[in-house]
Amino acid sequence: MQFNIRRFDIYRKVPKDLTQPTTTGACISIISCLIMASLFAWEIYDFIDVDLVSELLVDDPVAHAESIPVIINVTLPRMRCEFLGIDIQDDLGRHDVGFVDDTTKTPINDEKGCIFAAKFFVNKVPGNFHVSTHSSDAQPEEPDMAHRIHQLTFGSYIGNNTTIPGSFNPLQNKDATSESNEALLTHEYFLKVVPTVYEHLNGHKQFPYQYTFSYRSYLQMGHGHGVMPAIWFRYELTPISVKYIERRKPIYGFITTLFAIIGGTFTVVGIIDSCIFSAAEVIKKIEIGKQT
């Protein structure tokens, strides 16, 4: 017997003259094409989009770094720049009074207020840094540490990237200018800092730090040097770290979904078209009296 490869054809063809096109079938076909096109577009968008996967770690992902960069930017509308400085302390014995490297002070409100900004490094141990007048040779007669925080970030600065979840700059826009009419209020923030890794699709890694905070203010009594009001930021690192990884849907999953869209749509629409056609035939037979 002669071998014929056409015997392996599982997609047998029906002669065109044995098929019957209908207006309903044409409408259903157009609708099915629109459905498939919409699903295709949605699937392509989902394939191009980047998924963000998070993991919790119990080790320090930034173990190679011995210190953490900190950026602070705060406005004190009722304190002159000449009195302000930043002090840094930690449990390793560090005690910097009037840290001046990478520090800028911009006068505002006819030089009665100040925008204070600084960039510095802190050790990976509990500690604090505070904006105060402790390093000034002369102390203000009416100290007022009312303030508005624009930025306080730890680690790599990721800007205003809203696609990254987490609390990387939760103190942004914190307004403490109307806490009380008392000018001698000391402001205190307690920060829980969480080490974080953000891994991009290209393998590049950033090491920002998230943090949560609690806040309180209290009245300093007297005008002595040791009780001058200040803005304290007390921090400690948590033992748990967070890792975010950018991932894209694999190509085989994308192709599988496309085949599922085609097959599923044709199958479901074919069943609907068959049911409508059969129902229409029954109705026609009833109308002409051939169906009881």
Side-chain angles (χ1 to χ4, degrees), residues 147 176 179-180 185-189 215-220:
H147 61 279
E179 292 293 327
S180 170
L185 278 180
T186 283
H187 306 267
E188 198 164 23
Y189 297 89
Y215 166 79
R216 69 167 182 163
S217 60
Y218 53 91
L219 183 64
Q220 293 283 70

Side-chain angles (χ1 to χ4, degrees), residues 28 267-277:
I28 292 177
T267 300
V268 173
V269 172
I271 293 173
I272 295 174
D273 180 62
S274 178
C275 292
I276 294 176
F277 181 78

Side-chain angles (χ1 to χ4, degrees), residues 139-205:
Q139 295 298 308
E141 294 184 1
E142 297 180 355
D144 189 339
M145 301 303 285
H147 61 279
R148 183 180 301 107
I149 299 175
H150 308 293
Q151 179 185 351
L152 178 60
T153 55
F154 293 79
S156 302
Y157 181 57
I158 59 175
N160 295 319
N161 191 340
T162 56
T163 63
I164 303 178
S167 300
F168 297 99
N169 191 16
L171 278 173
Q172 183 179 23
N173 300 324
K174 167 65 177 176
D175 192 339
T177 57
S178 58
E179 292 293 327
S180 170
N181 293 326
E182 296 287 349
L184 292 177
L185 278 180
T186 283
H187 306 267
E188 198 164 23
Y189 297 89
F190 299 90
L191 313 178
K192 290 285 188 178
V193 183
V194 182
T196 306
V197 179
Y198 190 88
E199 183 175 336
H200 296 266
L201 277 174
N202 58 9
H204 173 66
K205 294 182 180 180

Side-chain angles (χ1 to χ4, degrees), residues 1-280:
M1 185 174 66
Q2 187 178 5
F3 175 76
N4 189 349
I5 195 173
R6 290 186 297 178
R7 292 189 305 169
F8 295 98
D9 185 5
I10 61 175
Y11 302 104
R12 301 296 179 96
K13 311 302 184 294
V14 178
K16 191 173 182 179
D17 56 354
L18 296 180
T19 60
Q20 178 182 350
T22 63
T23 302
T24 302
C27 294
I28 292 177
S29 298
I30 293 173
I31 293 173
S32 67
C33 290
L34 293 176
I35 292 174
M36 283 191 291
S38 300
L39 293 175
F40 277 154
W42 183 264
E43 189 60 29
I44 291 173
Y45 172 79
D46 185 58
F47 175 71
I48 296 174
D49 194 26
V50 176
D51 292 330
L52 200 60
V53 181
S54 63
E55 300 176 355
L56 293 179
L57 310 172
V58 293
D59 60 339
D60 183 2
V62 206
H64 63 277
E66 297 180 356
S67 57
I68 306 171
V70 180
I71 299 176
I72 184 172
N73 188 305
V74 58
T75 294
L76 296 92
R78 297 189 284 274
M79 182 66 75
R80 291 182 179 273
C81 288
E82 61 189 275
F83 299 117
L84 292 174
I86 191 163
D87 309 328
I88 307 171
Q89 299 173 289
D90 64 32
D91 287 359
L92 288 179
R94 180 183 182 183
H95 191 182
D96 293 339
V97 178
F99 184 85
V100 295
D101 295 342
D102 291 325
T103 300
T104 60
K105 294 185 282 188
T106 306
I108 58 173
N109 299 339
D110 297 327
E111 298 190 353
K112 295 179 180 179
C114 186
I115 298 176
F116 183 89
K119 181 179 179 179
F120 52 93
F121 289 83
V122 296
N123 295 316
K124 292 183 175 180
V125 294
N128 73 80
F129 50 90
H130 50 279
V131 179
S132 69
T133 63
H134 297 164
S135 61
S136 177
D137 294 332
Q139 295 298 308
E141 294 184 1
E142 297 180 355
D144 189 339
M145 301 303 285
H147 61 279
R148 183 180 301 107
I149 299 175
H150 308 293
Q151 179 185 351
L152 178 60
T153 55
F154 293 79
S156 302
Y157 181 57
I158 59 175
N160 295 319
N161 191 340
T162 56
T163 63
I164 303 178
S167 300
F168 297 99
N169 191 16
L171 278 173
Q172 183 179 23
N173 300 324
K174 167 65 177 176
D175 192 339
T177 57
S178 58
E179 292 293 327
S180 170
N181 293 326
E182 296 287 349
L184 292 177
L185 278 180
T186 283
H187 306 267
E188 198 164 23
Y189 297 89
F190 299 90
L191 313 178
K192 290 285 188 178
V193 183
V194 182
T196 306
V197 179
Y198 190 88
E199 183 175 336
H200 296 266
L201 277 174
N202 58 9
H204 173 66
K205 294 182 180 180
Q206 287 182 284
F207 302 96
Y209 285 72
Q210 304 181 62
Y211 66 90
T212 58
F213 72 92
S214 58
Y215 166 79
R216 69 167 182 163
S217 60
Y218 53 91
L219 183 64
Q220 293 283 70
M221 303 302 295
H223 289 268
H225 179 76
V227 293
M228 291 294 284
I231 308 172
W232 291 80
F233 299 91
R234 304 185 186 275
Y235 64 89
E236 62 179 33
L237 276 71
T238 66
I240 301 296
S241 305
V242 180
K243 184 176 184 179
Y244 295 109
I245 307 171
E246 287 185 347
R247 289 179 181 170
R248 185 162 283 157
K249 189 175 181 179
I251 185 66
Y252 61 81
F254 173 67
I255 295 175
T256 301
T257 304
L258 292 185
F259 282 139
I261 290 173
I262 296 173
T265 304
F266 267 107
T267 300
V268 173
V269 172
I271 293 173
I272 295 174
D273 180 62
S274 178
C275 292
I276 294 176
F277 181 78
S278 299

